[in-house]
Amino acid sequence: MAFHLQPKWQPLIGQLVIVKLQDEEIRRGVVDAVTDDDQILWLDSDGAEPRRLFHRADGFNVWIDYKWETNRFSRCPDFQRAPAS
């Protein structure tokens, strides 16, 4: 599965994504909301993981796989959570 950097965050609401900081994966999850200025993104809570805010100015970036590259109905049906550390 190939993931691609997403410069615009608004279209990602409801999608499964990977959030990275300096090429290190921080969290995977579903985008819950994005501010109108496209600078702040919230990932939905997931089990014990609370809802979390990511600010573009802090250097976070967001990655997603494209359904048309993998010929799948859903954007991320094989999306796996990162192993617990």
Side-chain angles (χ1 to χ4, degrees):
M1 173 177 344
F3 283 84
H4 302 275
L5 178 63
Q6 296 303 294
K8 296 186 185 243
W9 292 357
Q10 275 285 328
L12 302 177
I13 296 172
Q15 300 299 315
L16 291 165
V17 300
I18 295 176
V19 176
K20 292 185 179 184
L21 180 62
Q22 298 177 348
D23 293 330
E24 180 181 341
E25 184 176 320
I26 303 301
R27 186 160 162 195
R28 295 177 181 220
V30 176
V31 177
D32 183 42
V34 177
T35 56
D36 290 339
D37 64 1
D38 217 40
Q39 295 299 304
I40 298 173
L41 173 144
W42 285 269
L43 285 188
D44 205 357
S45 59
D46 181 30
E49 292 289 332
R51 186 175 190 242
R52 183 164 174 195
L53 176 147
F54 296 93
H55 196 280
R56 188 184 298 272
D58 292 333
F60 291 104
N61 51 56
V62 180
W63 299 72
I64 190 167
D65 75 328
Y66 296 146
K67 66 180 179 178
W68 56 85
E69 286 186 346
T70 55
N71 198 24
R72 293 183 304 215
F73 177 72
S74 174
R75 284 218 172 170
C76 299
D78 298 327
F79 188 83
Q80 299 292 317
R81 303 225 182 280
S85 28

